[in-house]
Amino acid sequence: MALMADIILSIINPMVFIFLDLLDFIMCIFYKYIDEYLEGKSTPCYCQSQRQNPTNNFEEMNNGISNTLFGRKNVFKEMGFVGKTQRRFVKDVSEKTRWSDCGCEGCVSWMSSGGDQKKLHVVVKESLKGNQDFGNTSTENVIFLHGFMSSLFIWTETIFPELVDTKYRLFAVDLLGFGSSPKPRDCLYTLNDHLEAVEKSVIREFELKSFHLVAHSMRCIIALALAAKYPKNIKSITLVAPPYFLSSKEEDASEIALKRLACKSVWPPLLFGSAFMTWYEHLGRCVCFVLCRNHRKWEKILKLVTRKRKYTRGAITIN
């Protein structure tokens, strides 16, 4: 039975993903022209491989952008049909909301005059009442970093209520692009971008002399980067479900992770969803157009289903 299922999958998989290759190629052209029509210019994409777009600029080669963005194979891209709208590491400094993005207050409030594109939304739980000296060494600081497709509520709704009347001062962070934190268009969301934002919004903002780190899933990488940068300040590090893959000299680590986390397979459904959103840039934008642009409607539905109250947005919330 298992052998028969493998045979069926081996037949269906290439057919499905060749069709998705074609669909992504069509959507690349569609978005190129509709962006130009509605905004006057097309949004750059990663449709051309890095091998086709070589660079000798040291800064561009070491800006933290994963090679997998250019290494996602597409049958039609390999045939040379795609590649006229490739991204050349040029940041879009426009603050105008794209036609396909959500323009609600919560998503664009950080764009207002004086808004800081790297100032994260942070929730602080201070156990010692009345003590606002964040540099006080008598209290131990703990920084919580949520995983991918999540927000700081994973900590504030589960861990924070259990840590009352303790010596710990708790910091939960919405990382760049998540929750109530900024979602700047001119940011490539590299490891350095996330690292800088956490430093600016938590470590330097509250003048932390020492701290513990707790991170979940993919954000364990940010926690390790912080620990490496602040070896004298870190007191402990807790990694929950960190990504780990055996590497080899023949393959790049990022390519190994890509193949393991987003293998092109229609089964199981979760793996197919990961492959769909990872390998197909323009189809992923279609999904975001339906889900992200209409997030307020989905939030209302979830609120009715879960009977949860709406949480207050803000730069810093102190419980």
Side-chain angles (χ1 to χ4, degrees), residues 20-28 74 280-283:
L20 293 178
D21 284 353
L22 174 62
L23 198 57
D24 195 64
F25 164 65
I26 294 174
M27 294 311 300
C28 176
N74 180 302
Y280 300 105
E281 178 180 356
H282 305 289
L283 295 182

Side-chain angles (χ1 to χ4, degrees), residues 85-108:
T85 60
Q86 74 275 13
R87 189 184 298 270
R88 297 183 181 274
F89 305 107
V90 178
K91 293 184 177 182
D92 184 359
V93 297
S94 172
E95 292 187 353
K96 182 181 179 181
T97 303
R98 290 187 302 181
W99 67 272
S100 57
D101 290 339
C102 177
C104 72
E105 181 181 357
C107 290
V108 301

Side-chain angles (χ1 to χ4, degrees), residues 130-144:
N131 182 5
Q132 297 299 320
D133 182 9
F134 291 96
N136 192 332
T137 56
S138 64
T139 300
E140 296 190 31
N141 305 297
V142 188
I143 302 174
F144 291 85

Side-chain angles (χ1 to χ4, degrees), residues 11-20:
I11 297 173
I12 294 177
N13 279 341
M15 296 173 60
V16 170
F17 286 99
I18 287 176
F19 171 74
L20 293 178

Side-chain angles (χ1 to χ4, degrees), residues 119-128 131-137 139-147 151-157 159-161 163 166-175 181 197-216 223 226 235 238 315-319:
K119 185 65 177 293
L120 302 179
H121 174 223
V122 181
V123 170
V124 183
K125 185 175 182 63
E126 173 60 70
S127 297
L128 301 179
N131 182 5
Q132 297 299 320
D133 182 9
F134 291 96
N136 192 332
T137 56
T139 300
E140 296 190 31
N141 305 297
V142 188
I143 302 174
F144 291 85
L145 305 178
H146 63 78
S151 72
L152 57 77
F153 291 128
I154 191 176
W155 307 116
T156 59
E157 295 298 297
I159 304 298
F160 281 25
L163 297 177
T166 67
K167 64 178 180 178
Y168 298 107
R169 182 182 295 115
L170 312 177
F171 298 84
V173 183
D174 270 338
L175 295 168
S181 285
V198 174
E199 286 181 299
K200 181 176 184 179
S201 304
V202 183
I203 298 176
R204 293 200 293 266
E205 175 73 16
F206 297 99
E207 300 180 353
L208 303 186
K209 303 297 189 300
S210 64
F211 52 86
H212 301 267
L213 279 173
V214 179
H216 176 236
L226 281 168
K235 300 192 71 174
T238 302
I316 298 179
T317 303
I318 299 180
N319 295 335

Side-chain angles (χ1 to χ4, degrees), residues 66-68 221 244-261:
S66 174
N67 290 331
T68 56
I221 299 173
Y244 173 75
F245 305 102
L246 294 175
S247 61
S248 65
K249 295 181 179 179
E250 291 75 21
E251 289 185 283
D252 181 75
S254 58
E255 293 180 355
I256 295 175
L258 181 65
K259 292 178 182 178
R260 292 286 298 276
L261 295 174

